[in-house]
Amino acid sequence: MSKKLMIVGGTGFLGYYTGKLALEKGYKVSSISILDDDLENKDLDSWFPKEIDNQLIDVFSASEEELKEALKGYDYMIYAVGPDDRYTPKAPSYDFFHFRLVECAAKVFRAARDAGVKKSVVYNSYFAYFDRIYPEMKLTEYHPYIRCRVEQAKKLNEEKGNMEVVVLELPYIFGSMEAREPIWRKVFLDRYVNGHKTVFFSKGGTTMISVQHIAEAGIGAIEYGKDGERYPIGDENRSFKWMLSFMSECKGVKKKVLLPPTWMCVLGGKAIQNKDKKEGLQGGLDFGKVMKDIMSRDMVIEPEVMDKVNAELHISRGGLEDAIKATMDRCYPNPGDFK
């Protein structure tokens, strides 16, 4: 049986781990990627698997015909291209996220369909799952990023033709890779945690997973996923207080984590938005509403849902704490970097 897999975004964090696992599973793996500025070492020979043929194609600017030619002869495709909700682009953020998550993804999937790819998987967001189970929260109305993730899944399924499409809805992800510093440091840890003896954060919790299990989910979706299905992926549900305490302890630092009332967190979220607005920026999430409606509660994938999905897609469990430690060690490799 032919097992030729193309990973779009193979030099990225999720694509890299997915490609390595696919090789172990006996797939012939290729990659389409751009060598973006976040890569600390752009010499692929020093860290990227030599068995993976990488094509330098910018999927955001490439034509559909160019992508179709690159995808000919492949049986499967995994689309591991962002951006995720942690990016804060120039306003209006909807235009930024819609172009990258909806328009460009649809272009690639149409190219894969016309090239004869039999089955494709997209790495989406668990916010789309929450939009389904909490319709009263109107998440797509208030949060451009969530709206675009929902539109992404809908658009890809509308235009798939005879190609099967599986959507994986991903939560907080931990782990590290040699050539990239985790985005955790720049967008979160240095801003809210590092250098602060006391950390103030919201009282809720979220679903978490290690990057190795995201790779298992991607291959599992190819091998066992049902066409048109949207699978919320997760391993453990943990509070933000536990997460921040454990991340600090990984570097030998003990921090006091305080949980102020929700209204104070909302004010903090609005302050971030006002600062971004003055700089002409807009986040993909409305931070005021995020603090009130999402971060202040246990917005999680239910354990029974995770159990069902993990069994169906053959995703293993465990290793979260090791993945968080690897994240922290990669973010702060030198003594004294994290205080």
Side-chain angles (χ1 to χ4, degrees):
M1 183 181 73
S2 178
K3 294 176 65 173
K4 292 187 68 177
L5 169 65
M6 175 65 79
I7 299 176
V8 181
T11 60
F13 182 45
L14 303 184
Y16 171 69
Y17 274 90
T18 304
K20 290 204 302 179
L21 181 61
L23 289 174
E24 294 174 14
K25 295 279 188 178
Y27 287 82
K28 180 176 175 55
V29 185
S30 295
S31 166
I32 288 174
S33 70
I34 54 175
L35 300 186
D36 57 84
D37 291 337
D38 289 334
L39 278 176
E40 295 180 0
N41 186 347
K42 295 187 178 183
D43 178 12
L44 294 186
D45 290 340
S46 68
W47 62 274
F48 196 68
K50 293 178 173 55
E51 301 90 340
I52 298 179
D53 175 41
N54 185 63
Q55 302 180 55
L56 295 178
I57 300 175
D58 183 347
V59 298
F60 299 125
S61 61
S63 70
E64 201 164 314
E65 188 61 32
E66 181 182 0
L67 291 164
K68 177 182 173 182
E69 287 301 313
L71 287 160
K72 280 183 177 178
Y74 289 89
D75 305 290
Y76 311 109
M77 179 182 76
I78 294 179
Y79 190 82
V81 175
D84 69 17
D85 60 281
R86 293 170 292 187
Y87 285 88
T88 304
K90 292 182 179 178
S93 65
Y94 175 78
D95 293 349
F96 173 87
F97 287 110
H98 189 269
F99 173 71
R100 286 158 179 78
L101 295 177
V102 183
E103 295 176 31
C104 291
K107 175 179 66 176
V108 176
F109 272 64
R110 287 192 302 268
R113 174 199 67 193
D114 294 342
V117 173
K118 295 182 291 190
K119 191 173 190 177
S120 291
V121 175
V122 59
Y123 288 157
N124 195 273
S125 167
Y126 74 158
F127 282 123
Y129 169 70
F130 296 137
D131 180 64
R132 289 199 301 281
I133 63 173
Y134 301 119
E136 70 279 4
M137 295 181 68
K138 300 180 180 179
L139 296 176
T140 57
E141 180 178 329
Y142 297 114
H143 307 287
Y145 173 78
I146 299 177
R147 178 182 171 189
C148 289
R149 281 301 192 184
V150 171
E151 290 176 345
Q152 181 189 61
K154 183 173 184 290
K155 182 76 168 176
L156 300 187
N157 271 292
E158 284 176 347
E159 299 188 353
K160 64 186 177 184
N162 293 325
M163 180 179 69
E164 295 184 33
V165 169
V166 182
V167 179
L168 300 182
E169 297 168 330
L170 312 183
Y172 279 41
I173 303 167
F174 293 94
S176 68
M177 63 182 286
E178 179 183 340
R180 292 181 184 274
E181 179 183 89
I183 193 174
W184 278 101
R185 176 168 183 170
K186 181 165 59 176
V187 304
F188 181 76
L189 291 165
D190 279 352
R191 191 177 299 180
Y192 307 115
V193 185
N194 192 19
H196 301 280
K197 291 182 179 179
T198 301
V199 179
F200 297 90
F201 211 74
S202 54
K203 61 185 178 182
T206 191
T207 302
M208 306 177 187
I209 197 169
S210 73
V211 67
Q212 289 90 347
H213 293 155
I214 296 300
E216 291 180 12
I219 303 304
I222 290 291
E223 297 181 349
Y224 308 105
K226 295 183 178 68
D227 179 31
E229 193 67 40
R230 294 169 292 180
Y231 293 97
I233 306 299
D235 189 6
E236 294 188 35
N237 294 327
R238 297 277 192 161
S239 69
F240 293 121
K241 182 175 183 178
W242 175 88
M243 181 186 80
L244 292 167
S245 297
F246 185 75
M247 292 175 94
S248 300
E249 290 168 6
C250 286
K251 301 309 297 178
V253 178
K254 191 171 182 63
K255 291 183 181 286
K256 182 181 290 186
V257 180
L258 297 183
L259 309 177
T262 299
W263 66 266
M264 288 186 66
C265 295
V266 172
L267 289 179
K270 288 182 177 179
I272 294 172
Q273 283 181 288
N274 290 336
K275 181 177 182 295
D276 288 340
K277 187 175 182 180
K278 290 178 182 177
E279 297 174 2
L281 306 174
Q282 182 189 19
L285 303 176
D286 181 311
F287 289 119
K289 283 210 158 285
V290 162
M291 291 300 176
K292 179 177 182 293
D293 299 332
I294 297 176
M295 306 286 282
S296 63
R297 60 189 288 184
D298 290 331
M299 183 74 88
V300 299
I301 302 170
E302 301 86 341
E304 59 271 20
V305 173
M306 288 192 288
D307 290 343
K308 181 177 182 297
V309 169
N310 288 349
E312 184 171 341
L313 299 186
H314 296 241
I315 307 168
S316 59
R317 307 294 288 267
L320 177 64
E321 293 186 4
D322 288 341
I324 294 175
K325 186 177 187 307
T327 301
M328 293 301 292
D329 288 345
R330 184 65 183 86
C331 285
Y332 303 100
N334 303 310
D337 284 350
F338 184 83
K339 302 175 182 177

